[in-house]
Amino acid sequence: MMTPSDVKATLSFSDGSASMELPIYKGTVGPDVIDIRKLYGQTGKFTYDPGFLSTASCNSTITYIDGDKGELLYRGYPIEQLAEQCDYLDTCYLLLYGDLPNADERGTFHKRVLNHTMVNEQMQFFLRGFRRDAHPMAVMTGLVGALSAFYHDSTDINNPEHREIAAIRLIAKMPTLVAMSYKYGIGQPYMYPRNDLSYAGNFLRMMFATPCEDYKVNPVIERALDRIFILHADHEQNASTSTVRLCGSSGTNPFAAIAAGVACLWGPAHGGANEACLNMLEDIQKMGGVAKVGEFMEQVKDKNSGVRLMGFGHRVYKNYDPRAKLMRETCHEVLNELGLHDDPLFKLAMALEKIALEDDYFVARKLYPNVDFYSGIVQRAIGIPVQLFTAIFALARTVGWIAQLNEMIADPEYKIGRPRQLFVGAATRNVKPLAER
Ligand code: CMC
């Protein structure tokens, strides 16, 4: 809840125009906000904050990050406890409805989601329109957007029942769609979901079974994948979530708004970083591996090279990303289980991390490993192709997008998102006849 603070901010101008008092609100934790909603009306001025470095775009009860402490809470629960004691569907319930389910609620919710895993049979014909070598995120952007064409009965964003069923459908069908886009790419038949398996187990089977040979779910890998899903489930007002909110604020249907989130997530500065990070590790490995780490780091530190250490740095975390710590642990577990503890990419990642954590360049800028630094190694060990990493991130983040979208729509104060601008282009001018231009 936004609580008015006793303190007020005063905005004054050096040209003698009247100063303005601005209210301040307090959240439960985290920085206070200065309420500038009346600023334009009273002063005729906008604020300027490209990249939203200092701007809270909404108030929210879902996820809290303390970037300095390296803390991530979903509805108040530390990510470490959720990763240890809950599964992904419990986390989905928590994000959507505000608290962890009791035993009955858990059973009902799990059953409900797992009953919606199948997609309209027509969807496979839609997929056929894509090239086999299309990037899975290109396919996913199309497939998720297309859901609104298949599920007409849940497209009214202003109807709470439609929002609820769209939420369940999206969470349930994302693994099916990601697995279908993978199977299509490698030319194998699609595997229908099996609802007696867990959410992660079902996804693994849809990915790796064929009609000729079933896939036996390994519990260590199932748990690791489930943990990847939990760690990616939400991350407050990041670029893709803000995209979903902005897109949904026009009243468009939930499937279209989530498709916008998928498109945004694809970028290498956001969800595409896990793919970019693994490609980077493979490139260094080809250059000569651990022996070349020093040389690579020199390139990273050279501003003219355009090279970044992918999987490092974060807009909010100025400390070790708590998700990266958990992912590192999972990485050990999976590599041990699969007998890959000598995996050269993992060794390389640890060597890079060690150097970066001691190097002045990274220390001074507070650049630490983020979740993507180790998640790629885990996924690769499981057998997931690098190109699919961001689609898996999208699968997991879908619940966060929906929870945030539903929170916005249910807020009586919500308005269409419409940023302002500082216009620095040409002022009014007249079109000259063609011969004079
Ligand atoms: N490698 C080298 N230098 C870096 C890196 C990096 N990965 N990240 C930031 N810097 C430097 C940057 O050059 C700048 O230096 P200076 O102050 O001398 O100009 C300083 O650190 C601040 O960087 P910034 O780009 O202004 O910071 P930002 O908050 O705008 O960017 C970021 C955050 C995540 C886009 C950036 O750290 C980055 O590009 N990281 C690599 C990509 C990546 O791993 N992204 C995944 C983010 S976590 C998953 C998710 O939430 O999607």
Side-chain angles (χ1 to χ4, degrees):
M1 206 181 70
M2 277 169 62
T3 318
S5 161
D6 297 336
V7 181
K8 304 260 182 282
T10 308
L11 183 66
S12 56
F13 302 91
S14 57
D15 64 0
S17 20
S19 61
M20 179 184 176
E21 199 166 80
L22 297 161
I24 295 183
Y25 289 98
K26 291 187 160 305
T28 331
V29 272
D32 299 346
V33 298
I34 302 174
D35 180 354
I36 55 161
R37 282 175 290 184
K38 295 199 175 130
L39 182 77
Y40 177 58
Q42 291 191 15
T43 67
K45 290 179 172 51
F46 298 142
T47 53
Y48 183 63
D49 187 19
F52 294 95
L53 295 176
S54 299
T55 298
S57 60
C58 61
N59 69 75
S60 179
T61 60
I62 303 174
T63 293
Y64 176 73
I65 304 172
D66 186 323
D68 294 326
K69 276 205 253 166
E71 179 181 67
L72 170 62
L73 311 174
Y74 292 165
R75 303 278 190 189
Y77 297 107
I79 191 69
E80 293 80 3
Q81 290 182 28
L82 294 168
E84 295 292 338
Q85 297 173 45
C86 300
D87 69 12
Y88 178 67
L89 285 184
D90 298 340
T91 309
C92 289
Y93 187 97
L94 171 69
L95 290 169
L96 288 175
Y97 307 117
D99 216 336
L100 284 166
N102 63 27
D104 282 351
E105 290 161 342
R106 184 174 193 273
T108 312
F109 183 72
H110 278 230
K111 198 156 170 265
R112 196 147 176 244
V113 171
L114 295 175
N115 272 342
H116 279 88
T117 50
M118 223 158 50
V119 295
N120 187 301
E121 194 66 1
Q122 195 67 15
M123 209 72 190
Q124 57 174 291
F125 302 114
F126 179 74
L127 246 163
R128 272 195 206 162
F130 289 101
R131 285 169 56 134
R132 295 257 178 204
D133 61 355
H135 193 285
M137 283 302 276
V139 175
M140 285 305 293
T141 312
L143 291 185
V144 175
L147 288 175
S148 44
F150 286 101
Y151 301 98
H152 294 286
D153 57 341
S154 52
T155 51
D156 179 1
I157 207 165
N158 294 311
N159 180 327
E161 281 168 26
H162 282 212
R163 293 205 297 274
E164 169 69 12
I165 182 68
I168 301 291
R169 280 181 168 150
L170 275 157
I171 295 165
K173 294 182 199 309
M174 281 301 271
T176 315
L177 296 179
V178 174
M180 282 174 88
S181 62
Y182 170 61
K183 290 292 197 189
Y184 182 74
I186 57 168
Q188 283 188 7
Y190 305 123
M191 294 300 295
Y192 287 106
R194 275 247 323 258
N195 296 350
D196 57 329
L197 297 175
S198 72
Y199 189 84
N202 178 43
F203 176 65
L204 285 166
R205 188 182 163 277
M206 286 191 291
M207 287 281 296
F208 300 123
T210 68
C212 324
E213 198 170 331
D214 209 352
Y215 172 86
K216 196 166 170 344
V217 178
N218 173 330
V220 175
I221 297 191
E222 181 184 19
R223 183 72 194 128
L225 191 64
D226 193 76
R227 183 176 266 196
I228 291 181
F229 294 164
I230 295 175
L231 299 185
H232 287 86
D234 194 44
H235 216 224
E236 51 114 318
Q237 310 312 319
N238 56 83
S240 58
T241 302
S242 301
T243 301
V244 169
R245 279 186 179 254
L246 193 57
C247 183
S249 78
S250 72
T252 192
N253 73 75
F255 303 110
I258 303 302
V262 175
C264 177
L265 188 76
W266 191 0
H270 193 7
N274 49 19
E275 180 176 344
C277 180
L278 209 93
N279 289 335
M280 174 194 79
L281 293 174
E282 279 175 347
D283 287 346
I284 305 173
Q285 191 61 23
K286 279 186 215 138
M287 276 162 54
V290 175
K292 293 284 174 183
V293 163
E295 202 179 299
F296 177 76
M297 285 306 211
E298 287 314 309
Q299 284 182 41
V300 169
K301 292 191 278 179
D302 174 4
K303 283 282 149 77
N304 300 320
S305 71
V307 178
R308 281 200 166 198
L309 181 56
M310 300 311 287
F312 254 74
H314 199 275
R315 173 62 61 80
V316 183
Y317 293 118
K318 300 301 167 202
N319 201 328
Y320 210 103
D321 178 343
R323 302 169 303 170
K325 267 190 204 148
L326 292 157
M327 209 66 267
R328 196 175 194 262
E329 215 177 80
T330 301
C331 201
H332 275 290
E333 282 164 20
V334 168
L335 296 178
N336 280 339
E337 174 68 16
L338 299 176
L340 298 170
H341 25 264
D342 285 331
D343 180 62
L345 288 198
F346 186 51
K347 286 196 165 151
L348 182 58
M350 290 203 302
L352 277 169
E353 179 186 326
K354 187 167 181 308
I355 294 183
L357 292 179
E358 288 164 0
D359 191 295
D360 279 352
Y361 175 94
F362 293 90
V363 174
R365 290 170 181 78
K366 299 190 176 165
L367 300 170
Y368 292 88
N370 59 52
V371 67
D372 291 323
F373 197 64
Y374 287 107
S375 72
I377 299 172
V378 178
Q379 293 185 64
R380 176 171 155 277
I382 293 176
I384 295 169
V386 178
Q387 272 212 332
L388 211 70
F389 290 180
T390 316
I392 295 202
F393 189 162
L395 177 173
R397 182 57 58 85
T398 294
V399 67
W401 290 331
I402 302 170
Q404 300 269 352
L405 179 66
N406 287 353
E407 178 178 69
M408 178 188 75
I409 302 290
D411 181 347
E413 282 197 358
Y414 115 82
K415 290 187 180 344
I416 184 168
R418 191 3 179 136
R420 304 295 198 148
Q421 65 171 7
L422 174 66
F423 182 70
V424 293
T428 315
R429 50 184 173 161
N430 295 320
V431 175
K432 290 185 185 155
L434 194 56
E436 289 174 32
R437 279 179 233 159

